[in-house]
C-alpha cells in the first residue's frame, strides 16, 4: 500500500504534561489526574493497554470486565463515547481517549514474510529498542513454490510469535497486521505478484488458511482459536486487484471489468477460504472499482458476500486513501460526505487515512450517515482490540504475555527461514546433470553481479531488518574460499554492462514493486547480452540463477547449450544465500515447483487491463493462467526438476462412478448440475479417497510436491483446461516409496463456474492426473442401480553460475 501523506504519530496522552514549570497546585492536579488514567503511568518499555487491574476505577467499567462476553463489553465502551471520540476511532491512527484510559492505537502494521517496518508510513512497529530486527522469511511467491501448507502455517506462526514479542517489548502500537496478500497473480507484469502465492485459486486459498491460522495463534487444523488472538491477520486486497500502474493506468482509478464467472471460480475463492476456514479477523477492500463500483463502497461485496454468505466476523479496512479517491480521483460521488456515507453503509469499518476523521461529522450533519453505522463499525473495531487482550489489563499477565524478545530472531525461526528457502527454490534446467557440483573438485570461482553480496536484494518488498542475512557470495564462500568478484553491470537495472571486464574474470533490482508494473517479460537492460557473451566465452557450461518475483522470458537461456542449468530462487529471504549454495553443491535436493506460468514476451501485446480469465479464440485472446491460457509457455505452472527421479502410480479407486442424483434439475438435460442444488449432504456423501504411490528411483534423498490435477474428457464450454485439486509433500530416501492420500470432493474439485457465477459439475468423464499418469472418474446424474457403482477402477497405463535479482543484475561464478 502506498499513501500520499505521512501518518501522524499519536503520542502518549500525557506527553504534553511536564512538571518542570508547574506550580504546586498544578502538580497536585497532575497526580490526581494520573489516578484517573488507567494507562498513563505505565513504564515506557511496556506496551500500551487499558483496564489496569491495580486501579480501582477499572471495576466501574463493564468494558474492563473479562468475565462478560466481548459484545457486551464493546457495547458498554461504545455507549460511553462522545460523537467526536467515536469519529476519532474510525481511522488507522486512532487517538487516545484519556478520560476512559484508552491509549492510542495504530491499526496499520505489516508482516508479509516477517515483521516489518515501513519507514515514514506505518508506525505500528518500531525497531528502535532492544529488538532491532526480525526473521525475514522468503517472499511469499517463493514460499508458495514449496506447495507445503504446514510450512506456510509454521511461517505464519513464527511471525505471529515475533510480532507479539515486539509488542511485549514495548515497540509496537498495534497488533493488527495487514497480511496476507491473496490476490491472484493473473498477469506476469504485475509488480506486486511477488507478494502473492501465485496464480492458482486453490493454492492461494490454502496458503491464506494456513498462514492466517498460524499468525493468529490457531492450530494447523483450525478450530482452537477461540476469542483470543495472538495477533490479527487481514486478507487483502478484496477483490480482483492486480494492477498498480501500467502505461498510465493506475490502481486508484482502474475500473476492472470482471465477469460473474471469473469472480466465482478465480478471484473470490481465496477470500472465501480465508474467511470461512482461516477465520481471518480482518479484510482489506481494494482501491479499484469492479464493474463501476468501488470495492470499499460495494454493499454486495462487503456486507452481503463477506459477512452474509461467508460469515465474516471481524473488521474491514480500506486500503490507504481508498476512501478519499472515491471522490477525489474516481469521481464516483458528488461530495466527500457521499464517499463517507457510501463506505460506511457498505460495511467498511476503518479508513486507512483521515477522510472519515475529516468528513464524518459533516456527513452526519447533512444526514447522509447515521450514528448507528458508526456504532456498528466501532463494535467491529473494538471487538478486535479486545480479542487481542488490549482491554484485559497488564499484557504480561495475559495468555501471550510470556513471549519475550528472545523469541524474536530465535534459532528455531532462523532454521525455519532456511528450510523455507531450500524447499521453495525451483530447478528449471539441468542438462547432463550439471548440478550438483562436486565439492571436492571445485577449488575456485569467479562471481559476477552487483547483488552477489547484497542482503537487501534477498528479501523483496515489505521486509523488516533481517536478523542474520547470508548473501549468495557469503553462502558460496562457505564452500569455496578462492572467489573472484565483479559487478558485471554498472547499475541494478544494467543500463550499461561491463562485459569486457567481466569476461576477463571469466577467462582468468528495481523492475517489480508496489505502484510499478512491468512492461516487458525479458531481462532488462543489457543483461541478456551479458549472459550470452559470458556463457559463450566460458570454458564450462553456465548455471543461471534468477532471483525475481515474477516470470521471465528466458527462452534464450533455456535453448542455449552453453547454459547447462537454470535455478529460480525468487526472493529467498535472509537465509537465501546459504540455501542457494547448499543446492548448488548438493547438500539439499531442490523440490520446489513454479506457482505461476512463465509466459513468452509476446504476451505483453495483451492489455494488462483485460481481466478475462477465459480465452476468446475468435479475437486471438489466449486467456490467463494455466487453467485457461491457450498459447506457448516458457515454463508451465507446477514445473520443477530434482536431482533424483520420481515415478507415480494411481492405486485402484474405491469407485469409478460418482452419482449426484438427489433431485431432478432442469440443467441435467444440459449435461451439468448446480452445486447449490445438490446440497451439503450429497456433496459430503460423494467424497472419495484417491491414493497415489510415489517412488524415488534415483540415488539421492529428496522432498518434493506431488500435484494432483483434473481435466475433463471434452474441453471447451469455457471450462478449465485442467485445474489443481490437491497437493501434498513427500520426503523420500533413495529407492523408497510412499503412498500419498488425497480426498476428492466432486462438488468442489470437479466444479466450475457458469456465466452467471453458479458453480456446476459436468456429467461424464473426468481424468485425474499426476505427472504422466491418469485415472478416470465418471460423474453420473441417473439413479445408481447397478453393481458398477461400487466397482473398482484399475489404473490406466495411460562451471559458471549467474545470479539474477529481478532488478535483474547478473552475478556470475566461474569455475576454475
Amino acid at each position: 500500500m502506498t499513501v500520499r501523506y505521512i501518518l501522524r504519530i499519536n503520542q502518549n496522552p500525557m506527553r504534553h504534561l511536564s512538571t518542570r514549570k508547574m506550580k504546586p497546585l498544578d502538580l497536585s492536579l497532575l497526580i490526581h489526574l494520573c489516578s484517573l488514567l488507567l494507562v498513563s503511568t505505565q513504564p515506557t518499555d511496556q506496551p500500551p493497554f487499558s483496564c489496569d487491574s491495580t486501579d480501582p476505577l477499572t471495576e466501574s467499567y463493564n468494558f474492563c470486565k473479562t468475565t462478560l462476553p466481548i459484545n457486551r463489553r464493546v457495547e458498554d465502551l461504545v455507549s460511553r463515547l462522545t460523537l467526536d471520540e467515536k469519529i476519532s476511532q474510525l481511522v488507522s491512527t486512532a487517538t487516545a481517549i484519556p478520560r476512559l484510559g484508552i491509549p492510542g492505537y495504530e491499526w496499520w502494521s505489516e508482516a508479509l514474510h516477517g515483521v516489518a517496518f515501513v519507514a515514514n508510513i506505518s508506525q505500528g512497529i518500531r525497531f528502535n529498542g532492544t529488538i532491532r530486527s526480525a526473521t525475514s522469511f522468503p517472499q511469499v511467491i517463493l514460499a508458495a513454490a514449496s506447495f507445503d501448507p504446514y510450512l506456510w502455517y509454521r511461517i505464519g506462526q513464527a511471525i505471529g510469535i515475533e510480532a507479539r514479542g515486539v509488542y511485549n517489548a514495548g515497540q509496537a502500537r498495534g497488533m493488527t497486521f495487514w497480511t496476507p496478500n491473496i490476490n491472484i497473480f493473473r498477469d506476469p507484469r504485475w509488480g506486486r505478484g511477488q507478494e502473492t502465492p501465485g496464480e492458482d485459486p486453490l493454492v492461494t486459498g490454502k496458503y491464506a488458511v494456513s498462514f492466517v491460522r498460524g499468525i493468529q495463534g490457531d492450530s494447523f487444523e483450525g478450530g482452537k482459536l477461540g476469542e483470543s488472538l495472538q495477533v490479527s491477520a487481514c486478507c487483502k486486497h478484496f477483490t480482483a486487484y492486480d494492477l498498480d500502474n501500467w502505461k498510465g493506468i493506475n490502481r486508484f482509478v482502474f475500473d476492472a471489468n470482471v465477469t460473474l464467472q471469473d469472480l466465482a471460480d478465480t478471484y473470490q475463492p481465496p477470500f472465501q477460504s480465508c474467511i470461512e476456514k482461516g477465520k481471518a479477523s480482518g479484510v482489506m477492500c481494494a482501491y479499484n472499482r469492479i464493474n463501476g463500483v468501488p470495492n470499499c463502497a460495494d454493499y454486495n461485496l462487503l456486507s452481503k458476500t463477506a459477512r452474509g454468505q461467508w460469515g465474516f466476523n471481524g473488521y474491514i479496512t480500506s486500503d490507504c486513501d481508498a476512501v478519499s479517491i472515491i471522490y477525489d480521483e474516481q469521481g464516483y460521488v458528488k461530495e466527500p460526505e457521499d464517499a463517507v456515507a457510501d463506505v460506511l453503509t457498505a460495511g467498511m469499518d476503518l479508513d486507512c487515512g483521515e477522510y472519515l476523521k475529516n468528513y464524518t461529522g459533516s456527513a452526519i450533519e447533512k444526514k447522509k450517515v447515521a450514528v448507528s453505522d458508526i456504532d456498528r463499525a466501532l463494535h467491529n473495531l473494538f471487538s478486535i482490540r479486545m480479542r487481542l487482550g488490549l482491554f484485559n489489563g497488564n499484557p504480561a499477565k495475559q495468555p501471550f504475555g510470556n513471549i519475550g524478545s528472545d523469541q524474536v530472531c530465535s534459532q528455531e525461526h532462523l532454521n525455519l527461514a532456511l528450510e523455507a528457502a531450500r524447499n521453495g527454490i525451483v530447478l528449471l534446467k539441468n542438462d547432463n546433470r550439471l548440478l550438483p557440483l562436486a565439492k571436492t573438485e571445485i577449488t575456485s570461482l569467479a562471481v559476477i553481479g552487483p547483488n552477489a553480496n547484497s542482503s537487501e536484494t534477498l528479501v523483496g518488498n515489505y521486509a523488516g531488518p533481517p536478523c542474520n542475512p547470508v548473501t549468495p557470495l557469503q553462502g558460496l564462500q562457505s564452500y569455496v574460499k578462492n572467489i573472484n568478484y565483479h559487478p558485471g553491470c554498472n547499475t541494478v537495472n544494467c543500463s550499461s554492462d561491463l562485459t569486457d571486464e567481466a569476461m576477463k574474470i571469466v577467462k582468468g533490482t528495481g523492475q517489480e514493486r508496489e505502484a510499478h508494473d512491468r512492461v516487458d517479460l525479458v531481462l532488462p537492460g543489457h543483461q541478456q547480452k551479458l549472459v550470452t557473451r559470458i556463457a559463450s566465452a566460458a570454458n564450462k557450461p553456465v548455471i543461471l540463477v534468477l532471483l525475481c518475483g515474477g516470470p521471465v522470458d528466458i527462452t534464450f537461456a533455456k535453448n542455449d547449450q552453453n547454459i547447462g542449468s537454470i535455478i529460480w530462487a525468487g526472493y529467498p529471504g535472509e537465509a537465501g544465500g546459504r540455501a542457494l549454495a547448499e543446492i548448488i553443491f548438493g547438500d539439499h535436493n531442490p523440490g520446489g515447483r513454479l506457482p505461476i506460468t512463465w509466459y513468452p514476451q509476446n504476451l505483453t501485446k495483451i492489455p494488462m487491463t483485460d481481466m478475462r480469465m477465459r480465452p476468446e479464440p475468435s479475437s486471438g485472446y489466449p486467456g490467463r493462467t494455466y487453467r485457461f491460457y491457450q498459447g506457448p509457455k516458457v515454463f508451465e505452472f507446477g514445473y520443477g526438476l530434482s536431482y533424483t527421479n520420481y515415478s507415480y502410480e494411481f492405486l485402484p479407486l474405491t469407485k469409478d462412478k460418482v452419482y449426484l442424483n438427489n433431485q431432478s434439475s432442469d440443467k441435467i438435460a444440459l449435461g451439468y448440475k448446480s452445486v447449490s442444488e445438490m446440497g451439503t449432504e450429497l456433496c459430503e456423501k460423494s467424497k472419495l479417497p484417491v491414493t497415489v504411490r510415489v517412488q524415488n528411483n534415483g540415488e539421492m534423498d529428496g522432498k518434493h510436491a506431488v500435484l494432483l490435477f483434473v481435466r475433463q474428457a471434452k474441453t471447451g464450454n469455457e471450462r478449465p483446461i485442467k485445474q489443481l485439486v490437491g497437493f501434498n509433500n513427500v520426503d523420500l530416501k533413495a529407492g523408497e516409496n510412499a503412498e500419498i492420500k488425497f480426498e476428492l470432493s466432486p462438488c468442489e474439485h470437479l466444479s466450475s463456474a457458469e456465466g452467471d457465477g453458479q458453480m456446476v459439475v459436468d456429467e461424464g468423464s473426468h481424468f485425474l492426473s499426476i505427472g504422466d499418469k491418469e485415472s478416470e472418474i465418471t460423474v453420473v446424474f441417473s439413479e445408481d442401480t447397478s453393481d458398477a457403482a461400487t466397482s473398482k477402477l484399475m489404473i490406466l497405463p495411460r562451471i559458471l553460475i549467474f545470479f539474477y535479482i529481478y532488478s535483474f543484475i547478473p552475478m556470475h561464478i566461474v569455475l576454475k
Side-chain angles (χ1 to χ4, degrees):
M1 294 154 294
T2 300
V3 291
R4 288 156 288 159
Y5 56 87
I6 301 297
L7 292 178
R8 185 181 72 252
I9 305 175
N10 292 297
Q11 304 291 340
N12 187 288
M14 298 294 291
R15 69 184 176 93
H16 296 300
L17 299 176
S18 172
T19 60
R20 286 185 295 175
K21 298 180 179 180
M22 297 185 72
K23 299 177 181 179
L25 179 61
D26 294 326
L27 180 59
S28 64
L29 176 62
L30 171 63
I31 295 172
H32 180 66
L33 177 62
C34 287
S35 69
L36 296 178
L37 296 180
L38 306 183
V39 297
S40 60
T41 58
Q42 296 166 16
T44 57
D45 61 346
Q46 285 193 2
F49 64 91
S50 297
C51 304
D52 191 339
S53 61
T54 63
D55 194 301
L57 289 178
T58 295
E59 296 182 1
S60 66
Y61 296 137
N62 281 340
F63 67 79
C64 288
K65 295 180 180 179
T66 59
T67 56
L68 293 177
I70 282 181
N71 66 322
R72 285 188 57 188
R73 297 173 66 192
V74 172
E75 287 174 2
D76 175 71
L77 174 54
V78 173
S79 71
R80 296 175 184 272
L81 302 179
T82 67
L83 180 58
D84 286 343
E85 288 171 339
K86 289 180 178 181
I87 293 173
S88 74
Q89 301 301 299
L90 296 175
V91 292
S92 51
T93 302
T95 57
I97 306 174
R99 68 182 185 86
L100 295 177
I102 300 174
Y105 185 80
E106 180 59 58
W107 284 90
W108 181 6
S109 294
E110 297 288 351
L112 180 66
H113 55 111
V115 180
F117 168 72
V118 186
N120 298 325
I121 300 177
S122 169
Q123 301 295 335
I125 295 291
R126 303 181 304 277
F127 289 105
N128 59 353
T130 57
I131 299 174
R132 297 283 178 168
S133 58
T135 308
S136 181
F137 294 93
Q139 182 59 288
V140 176
I141 193 68
L142 186 72
S146 69
F147 286 86
D148 188 344
Y150 188 56
L151 175 65
W152 304 335
Y153 169 78
R154 289 157 58 210
I155 291 173
Q157 187 180 50
I159 293 173
I161 290 171
E162 295 201 358
R164 181 62 79 151
V166 172
Y167 171 79
N168 288 345
Q171 294 178 223
R173 297 186 62 250
M175 283 189 290
T176 39
F177 290 84
W178 291 352
T179 184
N181 181 341
I182 57 170
N183 294 117
I184 295 297
F185 198 170
R186 170 190 60 92
D187 191 293
R189 292 165 286 187
W190 186 30
R192 301 187 69 179
Q194 59 171 294
E195 301 174 24
T196 77
E199 69 181 38
D200 181 73
L202 178 68
V203 174
T204 304
K206 283 186 176 291
Y207 179 89
V209 172
S210 300
F211 182 88
V212 167
R213 285 175 177 172
I215 197 171
Q216 291 194 158
D218 203 351
S219 65
F220 175 62
E221 297 80 9
K224 295 184 179 180
L225 185 61
E227 287 190 341
S228 297
L229 292 169
Q230 179 170 255
V231 300
S232 170
C234 176
C235 288
K236 62 185 185 183
H237 311 80
F238 195 40
T239 187
Y241 166 75
D242 55 11
L243 180 148
D244 271 55
N245 191 351
W246 178 79
K247 293 188 176 182
I249 301 173
N250 66 53
R251 55 186 173 170
F252 306 119
V253 299
F254 178 49
D255 187 2
N257 186 5
V258 185
T259 67
L260 294 175
Q261 188 176 34
D262 289 339
L263 277 172
D265 68 3
T266 298
Y267 295 111
Q268 295 288 63
F271 288 96
Q272 183 174 2
S273 294
C274 186
I275 291 170
E276 291 184 340
K277 298 178 182 178
K279 304 299 180 184
S281 50
V283 166
M284 175 185 287
C285 50
Y287 289 117
N288 58 295
R289 288 171 285 173
I290 300 294
N291 303 325
V293 182
N295 277 308
C296 291
D298 191 340
Y299 176 84
N300 287 330
L301 182 69
L302 305 186
S303 293
K304 186 175 179 180
T305 300
R307 294 196 186 278
Q309 296 178 15
W310 300 342
F312 178 59
N313 183 27
Y315 78 101
I316 298 176
T317 181
S318 75
D319 205 336
C320 293
D321 268 356
V323 179
S324 68
I325 66 173
I326 292 175
Y327 170 73
D328 295 339
E329 299 193 33
Q330 294 176 355
Y332 183 73
V333 294
K334 294 182 179 180
E335 58 182 4
E337 289 82 2
D338 290 327
V340 171
D342 282 1
V343 297
L344 286 175
T345 56
M348 195 198 80
D349 305 309
L350 184 75
D351 173 21
C352 179
E354 296 195 344
Y355 218 67
L356 260 61
K357 182 177 180 180
N358 295 336
Y359 294 105
T360 300
S362 56
I364 292 174
E365 292 175 358
K366 294 181 179 182
K367 300 187 183 304
K368 293 178 181 290
V369 170
V371 176
S372 59
D373 289 325
I374 298 175
D375 290 348
R376 180 222 70 229
L378 294 177
H379 188 281
N380 293 331
L381 295 173
F382 280 113
S383 292
I384 297 301
R385 291 171 67 173
M386 288 190 181
R387 292 184 65 189
L388 288 166
L390 303 183
F391 287 81
N392 294 350
N394 190 339
K397 301 177 181 179
Q398 304 307 318
F400 302 104
N402 62 343
I403 298 176
S405 58
D406 60 328
Q407 295 192 55
V408 182
C409 291
S410 67
Q411 190 59 51
E412 179 183 357
H413 293 170
L414 297 179
N415 292 343
L416 181 60
L418 176 61
E419 178 187 344
R422 288 169 176 162
N423 292 343
I425 291 174
V426 182
L427 180 63
L428 297 174
K429 179 181 179 181
N430 199 26
D431 288 353
N432 301 315
R433 302 184 70 175
L434 177 62
L435 293 179
L437 301 180
K439 287 176 281 188
T440 58
E441 298 177 8
I442 306 300
T443 59
S444 64
L445 298 174
V447 178
I448 302 172
N451 287 310
N453 205 31
S454 170
S455 58
E456 181 179 352
T457 312
L458 291 174
V459 297
N461 68 356
Y462 280 96
C467 312
N468 184 27
V470 178
T471 67
L473 181 60
Q474 292 169 334
L476 292 164
Q477 285 172 334
S478 67
Y479 287 88
V480 180
K481 302 303 180 186
N482 184 13
I483 293 182
N484 295 319
Y485 170 68
H486 191 279
C489 290
N490 65 326
T491 64
V492 171
N493 290 328
C494 203
S495 57
S496 175
D497 69 89
L498 306 176
T499 304
D500 292 339
E501 292 89 339
M503 295 273 284
K504 294 177 182 178
I505 296 284
V506 171
K507 293 180 178 180
T509 79
Q511 293 294 309
E512 53 185 356
R513 61 184 184 273
E514 183 171 0
H516 180 81
D517 296 318
R518 294 159 60 189
V519 177
D520 296 305
L521 297 181
V522 294
L523 299 178
H526 296 278
Q527 291 193 32
Q528 182 169 328
K529 170 187 171 184
L530 180 66
V531 172
T532 302
R533 287 190 62 186
I534 293 181
S536 63
N539 296 323
K540 295 181 180 181
V542 170
I543 299 167
L544 172 63
V545 179
L546 297 166
L547 278 81
C548 55
V552 191
D553 184 354
I554 52 168
T555 302
F556 80 96
K558 184 179 177 181
N559 297 330
D560 191 336
Q561 294 182 353
N562 295 317
I563 299 176
S565 297
I566 302 174
I567 294 174
W568 176 65
Y571 294 118
E574 68 174 73
R578 179 177 170 186
L580 279 169
E582 289 180 352
I583 288 173
I584 289 168
F585 283 94
D587 282 337
H588 182 77
N589 188 352
R593 295 178 179 269
L594 292 178
I596 41 177
T597 302
W598 285 34
Y599 302 90
Q601 166 70 5
N602 190 55
L603 187 80
T604 59
K605 295 179 180 179
I606 300 170
M608 193 175 172
T609 52
D610 194 327
M611 301 290 289
R612 290 177 296 168
M613 301 302 299
R614 269 89 177 161
E616 187 180 71
S618 62
S619 65
Y621 181 70
R624 301 299 181 93
T625 78
Y626 80 96
R627 297 166 63 228
F628 301 104
Y629 174 70
Q630 296 177 348
K633 308 175 187 70
V634 180
F635 293 107
E636 290 192 281
F637 171 90
Y639 180 81
L641 303 175
S642 171
Y643 294 154
T644 190
N645 298 309
Y646 299 102
S647 61
Y648 309 96
E649 177 188 6
F650 281 100
L651 299 187
L653 299 173
T654 57
K655 56 184 178 180
D656 64 348
K657 290 184 174 62
V658 176
Y659 289 87
L660 301 175
N661 58 333
N662 64 329
Q663 59 184 6
S664 61
S665 170
D666 294 338
K667 297 182 177 62
I668 290 180
L670 301 176
Y672 60 87
K673 192 171 184 180
S674 169
V675 172
S676 61
E677 289 180 346
M678 298 178 199
T680 303
E681 183 178 353
L682 179 60
C683 286
E684 286 294 320
K685 184 179 178 181
S686 66
K687 291 180 179 179
L688 70 154
V690 176
T691 305
V692 178
R693 180 177 292 122
V694 184
Q695 175 79 36
N696 183 346
N697 299 310
E699 299 178 352
M700 190 172 184
D701 301 349
K703 178 181 180 180
H704 78 295
V706 179
L707 310 184
L708 177 65
F709 293 91
V710 68
R711 67 173 181 85
Q712 293 188 21
K714 295 181 180 180
T715 58
N717 197 28
E718 298 189 328
R719 302 296 191 249
I721 299 169
K722 67 175 181 178
Q723 62 183 12
L724 188 68
V725 297
F727 53 92
N728 211 329
N729 267 257
V730 59
D731 196 344
L732 296 174
K733 297 184 181 300
E736 190 177 34
N737 68 73
E739 293 182 358
I740 306 299
K741 297 184 183 300
F742 299 91
E743 183 180 66
L744 185 72
S745 172
C747 292
E748 176 184 359
H749 299 138
L750 303 185
S751 63
S752 58
E754 279 287 281
D756 60 1
Q758 281 197 80
M759 299 302 294
V760 300
V761 178
D762 289 306
E763 190 172 28
S765 295
H766 299 253
F767 291 92
L768 302 174
S769 66
I770 290 182
D772 59 352
K773 297 296 190 298
E774 288 194 335
S775 180
E776 184 179 4
I777 286 182
T778 304
V779 174
V780 181
F781 292 152
S782 61
E783 292 292 335
D784 179 8
T785 59
S786 70
D787 292 337
T790 57
S791 66
K792 293 184 179 179
L793 174 66
M794 302 305 293
I795 299 305
L796 298 177
R798 301 261 214 244
I799 276 212
L800 173 64
I801 305 173
F802 291 74
F803 283 88
Y804 275 90
I805 315 297
Y806 193 62
S807 328
F808 281 121
I809 295 301
M811 180 181 79
H812 308 242
I813 301 176
V814 181
L815 310 181
K816 292 185 176 180

